[in-house]
Amino acid sequence: MSAEQGALLERTYHHSRFADKKRLVDLKKMKGAVISLAFPTLNEEATIGKEILVIKTELMDRFPLIDEIVVIDSGSEDRTCEIAAGFGAQVHQSRDILKSRGTYRGKGENLWKSLHVLRGNIIVWIDADIHNIAPKFVYGLVGPLLENDGISYVKGFYERPIRTRTTLSASGGGRVTEILVRPLFSLFYPELAYLVQPLSGEYAGRRRVLEQLPFSVGYGVETGHLIDIYHKFGVQALAQVDLDRRVHRNQSVQSLSKMAFGILTTFFNRLNMYGEDDLETRLKEFHIALSVQGGVHEPVLSQVPTLERPPIIELEEYRKKFHPDF
Amino acid sequence: MIRKIISTIRDFFAAARLSARKKRKKTFRGKPFEEMYVNRIVSDAVLFNEIPSPSENESLRGSFIVRRLEEFGITDIRTDGMGNVWVQFPGAKPSDDFVLLFAEIENPSYSPLGSLVRLTADRAIGAGIADNSIGVASLLILAEYLQKNSISFDTNLVLLFAHLASEGEEFIGLRGFLSEWDGDIAFAVYVTGMQLGNIESHPLGHYKLTVTAGTGDHQVLEKTPGVSAVSVLSNIAFQLGNIQWDREGGATLNIARIVAGLGFGFFPSEGFLELEIYSGDTNVLNLMKKTASATIEKIAEEMGAKIDIAVNSFIPVGNPEINAFLTDTLRSVHEELKIKSNAVSVPDKTAILNSLGVPAVTVGMTRGRKRLTEEYVELEPIETGFRQLLMLLERSIEKEELLRP
């Protein structure tokens, strides 16, 4: 390992370093930070209420670290939106934001659109399916940004036990990271391989950086961010925080396969974009799985969203709202 | 489909109650009582519930409580070697008397998955949430409310986050605290989760016993296999069931569970039986325990089995006479807040204080249920439960002063 490659390890923290919430609030005031928290949701009624209540009570009411909590929903068919609003979040439908730009179903789409409705100059994104939410998930991510002006993007990492209906087993999550993303980063971007969980759904960043990043509307959003930040701002803009443990639904292998497809598409697009590899063949559009019907294998083709949204700062309506002087 | 209809109806009434609640004026002594305090009770109960239990002297849970109290700006936080944490709020009038409010910090039903709380629009669901976590959170928020609003009562208050540490016949942690306490406890209030509206009219005492039986080991297909643990325990259950206990007087013996053997193919040479004894009379309770134990030992001797009788827990019979001014006050508070009062007669941990001559009452903060597969509390009544606690404190302190000789 070269000193440069391992630099990210020097910006690897434990959440307990930022547990003095009063200190963070004071830092926030001193720096004039406005901090927004957004949850991208699709049918998360089982967990969203608790996530909002715990974070709002601790980090808005008791310690005013967060200025707003917003849910960006992809058309949930359960009671996600009603519960979220009941516990005090502002709820937006993704399709109603930037209507003229159309709408796509995917987490990345919701994150991109959230930039248009959130007020903050620090943005925090937390997945909505966490069963053991705690304030550390937010203050752990915000802490490095408030302490160190050189850091622009903070990823959470954690132990990920596999949850069944009745038990929690030892760590078994992070399969796509270890089997796909870490080998790819090791091959092409070794500095990024020092991220413990590059695909974690909990991260925070400065608006002035986020608004310059393209967003994959689907599974590749985190991978795209990291490679873009690496190229545009350098790995020194990154930090990561240990959040101990995250309990959430684990996905089936079939779902992970589609996720890997989306990530690979984004990855190869980035290699191409930055001239790091010339692909002489056009990437195909469909993820192909096989199912067995009556003893016969049948192909199942899925179109996995891989469209890229441009950096939001390129949108006129965004510039009018957030950079009216330009 | 039916579940969806029931859920929709339930939500309609919850929304109506919420709307009515928001319209009611909310103050205590002229200070606004804001909804955020209720949210803090729920949020803290959720976070507390998910802390593993037990840990040594419940230190993990104790640390959470201490940190919280420090965040409220409370500096004089006391702990002892038994896992108890407490704070004092001086009364407006100088006195050596204290009013003790306590909540239990253990979670006997904790599991890493089961204790992860799930919140719906109107319930909090998770193992331990009803029993202890809501009680602890309510006491924490009471501390916050008193501290932030500079509210004091005439008498000194002690808020005790108690590690009851039930072991056999003793609640070691609580008794340890009480034995070391320097000062007179005027009365006590046990803050718990799910018994909003319940008023102990005649607190029963109980013993919970585990009877372990062992016989000689044999093979299933032996020609003369001998006495098994199943036979011994069944015989015990049968004989105890035949004794005519004074049910009219509230005396009850219940065989709660019998477990013996390893299953098919194995001779059941070991097993245990759990039984519980209830009575509203101390002499009857002790006589029942003595009789049951003697019967069990006699059967074991006759059948050639080894027997061990362990006391899992003991709660003494309560004293409704010394509690009367508290229960009367609670009843009037319920009437004013339109809480449906239910007179109940069950074992109550406040009887431990009664046995030391201290009047005590249990106050439930909300409604809920504890079943084998699910434990939950309702969110909407928590605000009323908290106001009930404040009003009970104020009026009980006034009444106690009047009754003092």
Side-chain angles (χ1 to χ4, degrees):
Chain A
M1 162 183 104
S2 72
E4 276 173 5
Q5 281 183 3
L8 192 52
L9 295 179
E10 290 168 20
R11 290 183 304 283
T12 299
Y13 309 107
H14 189 265
H15 67 81
S16 57
R17 177 190 168 117
F18 310 106
D20 185 346
K21 287 157 274 190
K22 188 175 176 307
R23 182 180 77 93
L24 290 185
V25 170
D26 291 341
L27 262 179
K28 176 198 163 189
K29 279 183 192 154
M30 203 170 73
K31 303 214 168 179
V34 178
I35 303 178
S36 299
L37 167 62
F39 295 100
T41 58
L42 177 60
N43 298 327
E44 302 291 2
E45 65 175 2
T47 43
I48 191 63
K50 179 177 160 183
E51 294 207 33
I52 293 167
L53 177 76
V54 167
I55 300 301
K56 185 169 185 292
T57 301
E58 191 73 3
L59 300 179
M60 281 182 83
D61 296 341
R62 269 204 181 115
F63 297 95
L65 188 63
I66 303 294
D67 295 286
E68 60 179 345
I69 296 179
V70 172
V71 161
I72 310 288
D73 187 70
S74 295
S76 292
E77 289 168 339
D78 64 4
R79 301 177 59 203
T80 297
C81 297
E82 187 189 328
I83 290 172
F87 280 105
Q90 300 166 41
V91 179
H92 297 268
Q93 286 297 321
S94 180
R95 62 174 176 260
D96 294 334
I97 304 170
L98 290 169
K99 269 184 170 169
S100 62
R101 304 289 173 166
T103 191
Y104 298 93
R105 207 177 227 201
K107 179 186 161 179
E109 172 81 346
N110 289 19
L111 301 186
W112 185 75
K113 286 193 170 180
S114 76
L115 291 175
H116 193 68
V117 297
L118 298 171
R119 297 184 283 117
N121 47 30
I122 289 178
I123 310 292
V124 185
W125 288 309
I126 303 284
D127 277 351
D129 65 342
I130 301 175
H131 289 268
N132 65 326
I133 192 68
K136 65 184 176 187
F137 278 81
V138 174
Y139 68 66
L141 298 175
V142 165
L145 293 166
L146 290 176
E147 265 191 5
N148 185 340
D149 292 342
I151 293 171
S152 295
Y153 194 93
V154 182
K155 293 283 290 187
F157 68 90
Y158 26 66
E159 188 192 306
R160 291 180 57 186
I162 295 263
R163 180 194 169 131
T164 67
R165 281 191 62 227
T166 53
T167 57
L168 276 179
S169 323
S171 298
R175 289 163 284 176
V176 176
T177 294
E178 296 309 321
I179 291 171
L180 178 69
V181 176
R182 192 174 306 292
L184 282 173
F185 279 168
S186 300
L187 285 168
F188 291 94
Y189 308 112
E191 295 89 339
L192 296 180
Y194 289 90
L195 285 161
V196 178
Q197 262 154 3
L199 301 184
S200 78
E202 286 67 51
Y203 39 100
R206 300 187 193 280
R207 176 184 287 275
R208 58 176 166 74
V209 166
L210 300 173
E211 64 189 9
Q212 298 183 59
L213 305 179
F215 277 58
S216 168
V217 302
Y219 297 117
V221 62
E222 285 92 9
T223 307
H225 278 184
L226 292 171
I227 298 171
D228 292 330
I229 290 172
Y230 170 84
H231 282 287
K232 294 181 185 200
F233 302 100
V235 78
Q236 62 272 18
L238 294 172
Q240 57 185 350
V241 177
D242 186 353
L243 303 175
D244 288 338
R245 199 168 75 142
R246 181 191 197 266
V247 178
H248 65 297
R249 285 195 308 274
N250 291 104
Q251 302 202 50
S252 65
V253 170
Q254 290 78 10
S255 298
L256 295 182
S257 180
K258 290 184 192 174
M259 186 190 294
F261 180 96
I263 290 168
L264 271 171
T265 306
T266 300
F267 194 91
F268 284 126
N269 282 338
R270 290 300 184 278
L271 289 181
N272 205 258
M273 189 194 299
Y274 294 111
E276 280 159 339
D277 198 11
D278 281 325
L279 280 175
E280 293 190 10
T281 184
R282 192 172 160 275
L283 294 178
K284 306 303 182 283
E285 290 175 43
F286 291 94
H287 172 270
I288 303 171
L290 294 172
S291 78
V292 182
Q293 307 281 349
V296 177
H297 284 86
E298 301 281 350
V300 178
L301 271 61
S302 307
Q303 200 155 27
V304 176
T306 56
L307 181 98
E308 295 272 344
R309 287 293 200 175
I312 202 168
I313 200 166
E314 291 177 9
L315 270 58
E316 193 186 332
E317 52 268 60
Y318 177 88
R319 286 200 303 275
K320 269 188 185 164
K321 190 173 177 183
F322 291 98
H323 299 280
D325 296 333
F326 280 89
Chain B
M1 180 66 188
I2 291 174
R3 271 195 191 162
K4 203 164 178 167
I5 293 170
I6 292 170
S7 174
T8 305
I9 293 170
R10 198 170 68 202
D11 291 343
F12 171 77
F13 283 110
R17 284 196 299 270
L18 182 65
S19 175
R21 177 161 65 92
K22 282 184 173 168
K23 285 177 188 161
R24 285 199 297 268
K25 199 174 168 188
K26 289 173 283 187
T27 60
F28 177 73
R29 291 200 187 165
K31 305 259 187 204
F33 181 80
E34 291 152 38
E35 199 168 310
M36 67 177 179
Y37 283 103
V38 176
N39 288 340
R40 291 179 194 195
I41 291 173
V42 178
S43 178
D44 275 3
V46 165
L47 293 173
F48 187 76
N49 203 67
E50 297 174 2
I51 300 171
S53 173
S55 57
E56 191 177 336
N57 271 345
E58 293 293 352
S59 58
L60 292 177
R61 294 183 153 218
S63 296
F64 175 91
I65 292 165
V66 168
R67 259 196 321 272
R68 256 298 175 247
L69 294 169
E70 284 171 345
E71 284 173 354
F72 298 159
I74 296 171
T75 49
D76 189 12
I77 303 164
R78 309 282 178 94
T79 60
D80 63 16
M82 285 169 286
N84 295 306
V85 179
W86 68 94
V87 293
Q88 295 181 33
F89 287 87
K93 295 179 182 173
S95 163
D96 288 333
D97 285 354
F98 289 85
V99 170
L100 173 68
L101 293 103
F102 70 102
E104 185 179 346
I105 68 173
E106 297 105 297
N107 183 356
S109 50
Y110 174 83
S111 76
L113 194 64
S115 295
L116 284 178
V117 178
R118 192 162 50 89
L119 278 188
T120 66
D122 59 351
R123 287 183 180 181
I125 305 159
I129 192 76
D131 247 351
N132 294 343
S133 294
I134 287 284
V136 168
S138 299
L139 213 56
L140 274 173
I141 302 318
L142 177 63
E144 185 179 20
Y145 185 68
L146 297 178
Q147 179 78 2
K148 294 269 163 80
N149 290 290
S150 303
I151 291 175
S152 66
F153 296 89
D154 286 350
T155 306
N156 306 310
L157 291 188
V158 177
L159 272 55
L160 169 66
F161 300 89
H163 180 207
L164 260 55
S166 133
E167 197 175 294
E169 297 199 26
E170 298 292 325
F171 287 95
I172 298 172
L174 179 61
R175 287 194 188 272
F177 170 84
L178 292 169
S179 68
E180 295 293 316
W181 185 254
D182 189 23
D184 292 326
I185 298 177
F187 65 87
V189 178
Y190 174 38
V191 182
T192 183
M194 62 175 175
Q195 297 161 351
L196 177 65
N198 283 7
I199 300 181
E200 269 291 348
S201 55
H202 289 91
L204 301 177
H206 85 217
Y207 277 102
K208 290 186 179 174
L209 309 178
T210 299
V211 179
T212 309
T215 62
D217 208 4
H218 297 277
Q219 299 298 314
V220 169
L221 296 177
E222 272 181 33
K223 283 205 174 127
T224 49
V227 169
S228 73
V230 171
S231 308
V232 173
L233 295 172
S234 307
N235 204 355
I236 289 170
F238 178 72
Q239 299 276 6
L240 291 178
N242 275 342
I243 298 174
Q244 297 300 317
W245 310 105
D246 178 20
R247 274 207 167 248
E248 286 295 322
T252 304
L253 184 144
N254 178 47
I255 306 292
R257 186 161 62 152
I258 301 176
V259 176
L262 293 172
F264 294 125
F266 293 94
F267 183 83
S269 60
E270 287 178 336
F272 66 88
L273 172 155
E274 291 174 348
L275 72 100
E276 46 200 359
I277 301 169
Y278 298 89
S279 176
D281 182 301
T282 300
N283 292 332
V284 169
L285 184 71
N286 289 333
L287 181 63
M288 286 174 74
K289 184 202 169 209
K290 211 170 159 183
T291 307
S293 299
T295 305
I296 292 165
E297 282 160 2
K298 183 164 178 278
I299 293 168
E301 195 185 5
E302 285 169 0
M303 296 182 79
K306 283 190 194 149
I307 214 84
D308 177 68
I309 304 172
V311 176
N312 286 70
S313 84
F314 163 65
I315 290 181
V317 178
N319 187 335
E321 282 80 35
I322 65 169
N323 295 337
F325 80 94
L326 285 170
T327 52
D328 288 345
T329 307
L330 187 57
R331 207 169 282 117
S332 73
V333 167
H334 285 173
E335 208 173 297
E336 190 168 328
L337 292 177
K338 297 189 181 7
I339 298 170
K340 186 164 174 273
S341 267
N342 306 306
V344 296
S345 188
V346 293
D348 193 316
K349 286 169 185 161
T350 54
I352 298 163
L353 287 128
N354 286 171
S355 69
L356 301 170
V358 175
V361 72
T362 296
V363 167
M365 297 303 294
T366 183
R367 288 183 292 270
R369 190 171 281 194
K370 187 172 172 159
R371 292 184 182 131
L372 196 62
T373 54
E374 189 184 59
E375 183 175 337
Y376 70 85
V377 293
E378 294 177 20
L379 301 180
E380 193 269 330
I382 291 174
E383 188 207 333
T384 305
F386 195 69
R387 293 175 71 208
Q388 164 207 224
L389 181 61
L390 292 171
M391 289 169 69
L392 172 70
L393 267 182
E394 185 167 59
R395 293 181 190 183
S396 299
I397 287 170
E398 282 168 8
K399 224 177 202 176
E400 193 274 336
E401 285 177 354
L402 290 171
L403 291 171
R404 218 178 285 168

